[in-house]
Amino acid sequence: NGLLYYFKESNQDCIVRLVSRLDMDTSGLIIVAKNQYAHSELSNQMQNNNVEKRYLALVHGHFSEKEGTIDLPIYRPEIEGVMARVIDERGQRSITHYKVIESYKDAELVECLLETGRTHQIRVHMSYIGHPLLGDPVYGPKKCPFNLNGQVLHAKVLGFIHPRTGEYMEFNSELPDYFSSLIERLKK
């Protein structure tokens, strides 16, 4: 809606073409193409896993290994009204590289680099290995020690090849206030 409003207010006649998207309650960067050519080129990069996607997440507990790779298939069961995904051999190969950035009393700040881009990938992988995201209403514990409105997940970096110039471009998004405030609370 914000994009449509922007184009309407700036008198630009443009069709919004989403190349990437975020789960509800996830903050950060997305890729939007302003024309069909750019959409096609950027979508190909996404499909071929040639887009750099780095996220920051706050997760429950502490990792025994401070960095690693999760290579587990994600599957969506055909259950009416259920959006949740599961780790299942019938699913698509899904690869998440993680690295602990900072540790707190009962949580850790983790950077996740996606090699693939499946729906709910970070949320499913982290939950499966015993470190669900703080505030995740689908894959996390029913009770969260903080008053959160969804998972604490932020799409921090997006990098891709410009469709016309061939130049590598990388964008970085600052953490939103709620995320930074929660980190400060966890440090105490």
Side-chain angles (χ1 to χ4, degrees), residues 22 25-29 55-58 109 148-157 172-184:
L22 296 174
D25 299 325
T26 297
S27 58
L29 299 167
Y55 291 74
L56 288 178
L58 282 169
L109 176 64
L148 301 172
N149 294 320
Q151 68 277 355
V152 186
L153 181 61
H154 180 71
K156 179 134 180 73
V157 175
N172 193 316
S173 172
E174 294 302 314
L175 289 175
D177 290 341
Y178 81 91
F179 202 127
S180 299
S181 296
L182 183 54
I183 288 175
E184 290 308 312

Side-chain angles (χ1 to χ4, degrees), residues 104-168:
Y104 313 106
K105 182 181 175 203
D106 296 316
E108 290 190 311
L109 176 64
V110 179
E111 179 185 67
C112 296
L113 171 64
L114 297 185
E115 195 170 311
T116 55
R118 310 288 177 233
T119 300
H120 299 181
Q121 180 172 321
I122 294 170
R123 297 166 65 193
V124 172
H125 276 168
M126 291 294 129
S127 180
Y128 187 80
I129 65 169
H131 299 288
L133 277 61
L134 295 181
D136 193 330
V138 178
Y139 304 102
K142 298 298 177 220
K143 211 170 192 178
C144 182
F146 305 99
N147 185 19
L148 301 172
N149 294 320
Q151 68 277 355
V152 186
L153 181 61
H154 180 71
K156 179 134 180 73
V157 175
L158 275 176
F160 54 88
I161 303 296
H162 189 283
R164 294 215 187 265
T165 67
E167 174 188 358
Y168 178 76

